[in-house]
Amino acid sequence: MNLKDKLPQNFYTQDVHSVARELLGKLFVRKLNGKALVGKIVEVEAYDGSYDEASHAFRGKTKRNEVMFHPGGLLYVYFTYGMHFCCNVVTGKVNEGKAVLLRGLEPLEGIETMAFNRYGKKKITQKELVNLANGPAKICDAFGIARENNGTDLTGDKIFIIDSKKISTSKIGISTRIGIKKSVDLLWRYYIKENLFLSRK
DNA sequence: TACTAGATCGGCT
DNA sequence: GCCGATCTAGTAG
């Protein structure tokens, strides 16, 4: 991991689908209490507010989704099901309302901290390791991301993403998105094929 | 392995 | 008042 390879703002202002695909394989970093928690991005979903009924941004700007309407490069964190947080990378230009939901990370660094955040213990089984961050709410739990991180600037030094070798197109899987009831046919979920840390096969 | 229910609360109709 | 970009534990097969 080379900190010089932190993704710049102009990475995030690209089209939401380009950002979604290119985020695969990159390293999501969260500094927590002086330590770095790092995970490789293995699964994401695109949400395009302009014609995507499943997107929080579909009905326009509100107090909750306001961050989505900023230019790309911010973290959009929302609270759901009365108990979980999920986080998104805001993309595109101002007022577009588009974002990429992080759905699966492969834990690389700070695993003991993540384990403690999720399971209340530092030593975990192989099964628990696989389940550490293979889902949107699990990511936020493991990485200690909550309401107060909504709107975090990803070009800053608290939460950011490190570039890495691009995943070849042949290794990227595409499917419908998970857990939604509207716009269910859009093939806007992208993932690294055969990775162990996917929320689903 | 597969399906179901329950937890729990903020946002929006 | 209803329902959600979820997760877990429980039961049944």
Side-chain angles (χ1 to χ4, degrees), chain A residues 91-121:
Chain A
T91 72
K93 304 192 185 86
V94 67
N95 287 330
E96 284 188 357
K98 304 184 186 187
V100 175
L101 172 71
L102 302 182
R103 284 200 61 91
L105 297 186
E106 175 177 336
L108 294 180
E109 268 185 51
I111 292 177
E112 289 198 343
T113 301
M114 296 182 203
F116 192 79
N117 289 342
R118 288 262 298 134
Y119 297 107
K121 58 183 184 180

Side-chain angles (χ1 to χ4, degrees), chain A residues 24-44:
Chain A
L24 294 174
K26 300 201 189 310
L27 308 181
F28 182 80
V29 183
R30 190 243 149 143
K31 291 285 183 65
L32 188 62
N33 303 325
K35 277 180 286 191
L37 305 184
V38 184
K40 182 166 89 171
I41 299 171
V42 303
E43 177 182 346
V44 299

Side-chain angles (χ1 to χ4, degrees), chain A residues 142-158:
Chain A
F143 282 72
I145 292 170
R147 211 182 309 276
E148 66 269 20
N149 301 295
N150 186 34
T152 301
D153 184 346
L154 295 172
T155 61
D157 58 9
K158 304 287 185 206

Side-chain angles (χ1 to χ4, degrees), chain A residues 12-139:
Chain A
Y12 299 103
T13 51
Q14 299 176 94
D15 166 74
V16 65
H17 295 283
S18 303
V19 174
R21 280 190 297 264
E22 291 190 28
L23 277 176
L24 294 174
K26 300 201 189 310
L27 308 181
F28 182 80
V29 183
R30 190 243 149 143
K31 291 285 183 65
L32 188 62
N33 303 325
K35 277 180 286 191
L37 305 184
V38 184
K40 182 166 89 171
I41 299 171
V42 303
E43 177 182 346
V44 299
E45 284 175 358
Y47 284 87
D48 179 341
S50 56
Y51 62 104
D52 171 10
E53 290 190 79
S55 170
H56 291 169
F58 182 66
R59 286 167 220 289
K61 194 195 287 188
T62 65
K63 196 170 180 182
R64 172 173 70 153
N65 67 22
E66 185 263 335
V67 169
M68 288 183 82
F69 290 85
H70 281 256
L74 298 188
L75 194 71
Y76 167 51
V77 180
Y78 68 90
F79 181 64
T80 192
Y81 290 104
M83 61 185 77
H84 296 304
F85 292 97
C86 298
C87 68
N88 297 249
V89 171
V90 177
T91 72
K93 304 192 185 86
V94 67
N95 287 330
E96 284 188 357
K98 304 184 186 187
V100 175
L101 172 71
L102 302 182
R103 284 200 61 91
L105 297 186
E106 175 177 336
L108 294 180
E109 268 185 51
I111 292 177
E112 289 198 343
T113 301
M114 296 182 203
F116 192 79
N117 289 342
R118 288 262 298 134
Y119 297 107
K121 58 183 184 180
K122 290 184 176 178
K123 301 293 179 190
I124 53 174
T125 64
Q126 177 65 23
K127 191 174 178 181
E128 287 168 329
L129 176 67
V130 169
N131 284 296
L132 212 46
N134 63 343
K138 296 177 187 179
I139 291 171

Side-chain angles (χ1 to χ4, degrees), chain A residues 169-189:
Chain A
T169 306
S170 64
K171 290 186 180 151
I172 297 179
I174 298 175
S175 80
T176 55
R177 295 173 294 177
I178 294 171
I180 53 172
K181 296 209 168 87
K182 302 169 193 161
S183 300
V184 293
D185 294 328
L186 298 171
L187 298 171
W188 287 1
R189 171 174 176 254

